[in-house]
Amino acid sequence: MDKKINDNTGLDKYWEENYRRSLEYGGAYFGTGYTMLAAAEVLFRQTCRNRKEFFRKNRGKTKFTPGHWKKTKEESLLLGFLPATLLLALAIENFIKDYYCCIDRTLRARDSKIPKKLGKHDLVKLFVECNIQLTEKEKLLLEYLHAHLVWRGRYTIPKDSKEYAKYYSSNFEEIEVYKSFEKNNKFSPEVVSILKKLGVRYRGI
């Protein structure tokens, strides 16, 4: 079966053509971004509910020590903020790449490889290359989301100790997205502002 697929040059051309078409129309980025944004909102809200319910039931009973979580089902649910933030970071990465394709027609695929400019994951650099002005808080938020793209949303520690030190010594507590959900049950003003600059009209679910 595998040999037939590999030998079938017509099928290879079919997939290459679909690949080029997906990048050409930008839908591959925008559609994925929108789906991830909605999934992030759902996970943020549900994790906030789990968190409130857990502390309501265990008020005065549970003692936490720095850097340690007890291996209970209830407490493990609180860690949902990490994958939720990763989904938000992936959503914004997809939106900025869709925006990039719209303003720079040379990025549209002409062969079977993504252009190098679209292979980047540094959100701040992508915004700069697209000439999108950022406030200090928006820039801080993008640096925070970039850290989740690279390691925080996927691994316990990064490859480099400098990245680890940078993350924990930055003022990220100012813009942590989950805090906005805990207070207002919606994305923070910085997230909304960034989405608007990318032309994303998102009213929530």
Side-chain angles (χ1 to χ4, degrees):
M1 182 90 177
D2 290 338
K3 188 175 185 301
K4 286 183 180 179
I5 291 175
N6 291 332
D7 290 343
N8 194 333
T9 55
L11 188 59
D12 290 341
K13 288 181 179 178
Y14 169 79
W15 289 121
E16 283 185 15
E17 181 61 29
N18 273 273
Y19 181 89
R20 284 194 293 269
R21 199 172 294 168
S22 293
L23 187 57
E24 181 180 354
Y25 294 112
Y29 285 123
F30 189 88
T32 301
Y34 209 91
T35 301
M36 288 180 171
L37 185 62
E41 182 179 2
V42 170
L43 192 49
F44 271 121
R45 286 183 175 175
Q46 187 58 53
T47 305
C48 283
R49 291 192 193 102
N50 293 341
R51 184 181 177 89
K52 288 176 183 177
E53 184 65 14
F54 173 76
F55 285 113
R56 185 185 67 78
K57 287 182 177 180
N58 296 275
R59 193 171 296 162
K61 298 178 184 177
T62 307
K63 293 182 179 179
F64 296 102
T65 56
H68 173 72
W69 291 89
K70 293 182 180 178
K71 300 298 181 181
T72 66
K73 181 180 178 181
E74 292 84 357
E75 288 174 306
S76 66
L77 291 173
L78 305 185
L79 298 176
F81 289 131
L82 290 177
T85 306
L86 174 59
L87 283 169
L88 175 60
L90 287 166
I92 290 179
E93 181 185 13
N94 274 273
F95 288 138
I96 185 59
K97 288 182 177 180
D98 174 73
Y99 185 94
Y100 210 163
C101 287
C102 290
I103 64 171
D104 187 348
R105 299 285 176 172
T106 65
L107 295 179
R108 308 227 168 177
R110 287 178 169 77
D111 52 31
S112 58
K113 291 184 180 180
I114 287 273
K116 287 184 178 180
K117 288 182 179 179
L118 296 178
K120 299 176 182 178
H121 301 288
D122 190 321
L123 298 178
V124 174
K125 284 186 179 179
L126 284 166
F127 272 75
V128 169
E129 288 179 11
C130 289
N131 294 315
I132 297 177
Q133 299 297 315
L134 297 168
T135 66
E136 286 303 312
K137 275 201 169 183
E138 287 170 350
K139 185 178 178 182
L140 187 64
L141 173 62
L142 291 177
E143 289 173 353
Y144 172 73
L145 293 177
H146 172 69
H148 280 75
L149 274 176
V150 175
W151 70 275
R152 185 70 178 114
R154 301 186 294 160
Y155 312 112
T156 307
I157 57 173
K159 293 180 180 179
D160 191 335
S161 62
K162 291 180 180 178
E163 286 290 324
Y164 189 82
K166 181 181 177 182
Y167 181 87
Y168 286 104
S169 61
S170 298
N171 297 322
F172 289 146
E173 66 273 5
E174 294 179 18
I175 45 80
E176 285 185 309
V177 183
Y178 77 86
K179 292 181 179 179
S180 179
F181 274 90
E182 286 190 324
K183 290 181 180 179
N184 306 310
N185 200 32
K186 60 183 180 181
F187 285 116
S188 65
E190 291 77 30
V191 172
V192 174
S193 175
I194 284 173
L195 292 175
K196 283 183 178 178
K197 289 179 179 181
L198 295 173
V200 179
R201 296 179 180 179
Y202 184 74
R203 298 180 179 178
I205 55 175

